Amino acid sequence: MAIIVILFPEESIIKTPFLKDMNYARMDLENDITLIKNRYINSCHHLDSQLGRIIHYLESNQLLEKTIVIITGDHGEEFMEKGHWGHNSAYTEEQIRK
């Protein structure tokens, strides 16, 4: 049974309610999709704040002008906008760009 724990701190929560217990065996995609998307938004917000900390450090130590910062990702995520959930089921805009 796959259970995913919350991977962001409370201060990164900007969307509620969110799915706290991401258990693939017990979740109900039709009823939980908004909660799953809110969880994703909170996770992204936490990641953004961590990237912000890095940029702030580089700026405050006069390192940003001589540093190349590359931020990349490998796919987007779809939350049933076109009838799919996840990132490996179709070539939709949500799955390949966001």
Side-chain angles (χ1 to χ4, degrees), residues 8 16 18 21-22 27 29 37 50 60 72 76-77 79 89 98:
F8 49 84
T16 59
F18 63 92
D21 177 15
M22 186 81 169
M27 71 180 191
L29 189 57
K37 186 172 184 177
Q50 298 308 299
S60 61
T72 186
E77 209 61 38
F79 296 95
S89 58
K98 293 183 180 179

Side-chain angles (χ1 to χ4, degrees), residues 37-49:
K37 186 172 184 177
N38 288 349
R39 178 189 173 94
Y40 176 80
I41 290 167
N42 291 334
S43 296
C44 290
H45 179 67
H46 178 62
L47 176 61
D48 287 347
S49 71

Side-chain angles (χ1 to χ4, degrees), residues 17-28:
F18 63 92
L19 194 63
K20 294 180 182 169
D21 177 15
M22 186 81 169
N23 185 324
Y24 289 94
R26 287 190 309 213
M27 71 180 191
D28 177 352

